[in-house]
């Protein structure tokens, strides 16, 4: 899955993939629809994710975000370091508009005149949700389905 880029030009968000022994992709009874878009919701990045620095193809540092459960069959996501401020605001205290306001304030403090559309923030959050990287009901259901599937194996 390709995550929409919030940082134009030098800040590229790319996706890497790995194989997992088994995933929820085999389950027909699981609802794969992302959560409904709700700008009033305060997204929370899961605390059990593995964040590791890796060298990107261009030699720059990327942050690899890996799910220990392997729920997203597309594998881990790699983000430019420029996405760290946004990821740090996914703590349950901010909705998409709050995140936008805080990022714009940080950019103004750094005398950066770039504008980020609210739709880009929401799209980024939605992409994280689609990859089961947010701590929400959708992730809880996917985790439960994975655990139940594991328990049923011989």
């Amino acid at each position: 899955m390709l995550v929409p880029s919030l940082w134009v030009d030098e800040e590229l968000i790319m996706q890497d993939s790995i194989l997992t022994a088994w995933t929820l992709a085999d389950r027909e009874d699981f609802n794969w629809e992302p959560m409904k878009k709700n700008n009033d919701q305060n997204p929370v990045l899961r605390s059990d994710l593995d964040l590791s620095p890796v060298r990107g193809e261009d030699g720059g540092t990327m942050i690899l975000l890996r799910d220990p459960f392997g729920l997203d069959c597309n594998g881990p996501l790699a983000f430019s370091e420029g996405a760290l401020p946004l990821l740090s605001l996914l703590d349950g205290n901010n909705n998409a508009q709050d995140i936008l306001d805080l990022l714009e304030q940080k950019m103004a403090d750094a005398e950066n005149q770039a504008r980020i559309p609210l739709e880009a923030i929401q799209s980024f959050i939605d992409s994280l949700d689609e990859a089961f990287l947010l701590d929400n009901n959708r992730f809880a259901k996917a985790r439960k389905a994975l655990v139940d599937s594991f328990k049923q194996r011989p």
Side-chain angles (χ1 to χ4, degrees):
M1 169 191 344
L2 205 51
V3 177
S5 176
L6 293 175
W7 315 101
V8 187
D9 298 328
E10 75 276 6
E11 302 293 350
L12 173 67
I13 296 177
M14 62 179 204
Q15 182 268 331
D16 188 14
S17 65
I18 61 170
L19 296 176
T20 56
W22 47 278
T23 69
L24 287 174
D26 300 325
R27 296 196 47 120
E28 295 176 12
D29 61 334
F30 187 75
N31 179 7
W32 288 97
E33 291 301 312
M35 66 184 176
K36 293 189 183 203
K37 294 171 180 52
N38 180 353
N39 289 340
D40 294 327
Q41 184 171 0
N42 296 353
V44 178
L45 191 65
R46 288 179 30 212
S47 61
D48 62 346
L49 300 173
D50 177 32
L51 278 79
S52 306
V54 295
R55 185 161 311 279
E57 291 179 6
D58 63 355
T61 301
M62 304 289 288
I63 304 301
L64 187 68
L65 188 60
R66 182 173 292 148
D67 176 6
F69 292 109
L71 293 174
D72 183 10
C73 56
N74 292 320
L77 300 175
F79 301 93
S80 68
E81 288 179 303
L84 285 175
L86 183 135
L87 291 172
S88 72
L89 294 171
L90 298 174
D91 60 4
N93 294 318
N94 307 295
N95 62 30
Q97 183 63 55
D98 296 335
I99 292 169
L100 176 62
D101 294 343
L102 291 165
L103 289 174
E104 285 182 345
Q105 179 61 48
K106 286 181 182 185
M107 291 169 62
D109 291 347
E111 298 182 10
N112 184 339
Q113 300 300 319
R115 296 274 307 148
I116 303 171
L118 180 60
E119 295 79 21
I121 300 288
Q122 191 61 53
S123 179
F124 186 84
I125 292 169
D126 292 344
S127 295
L128 292 173
D129 179 47
E130 290 170 16
F132 300 100
L133 301 177
L134 297 180
D135 192 356
N136 57 21
N137 288 336
R138 186 169 177 272
F139 160 68
K141 288 178 185 177
R143 182 175 180 263
K144 182 180 180 329
L146 185 68
V147 169
D148 291 347
S149 175
F150 179 76
K151 287 178 180 178
Q152 293 175 5
R153 290 181 179 255

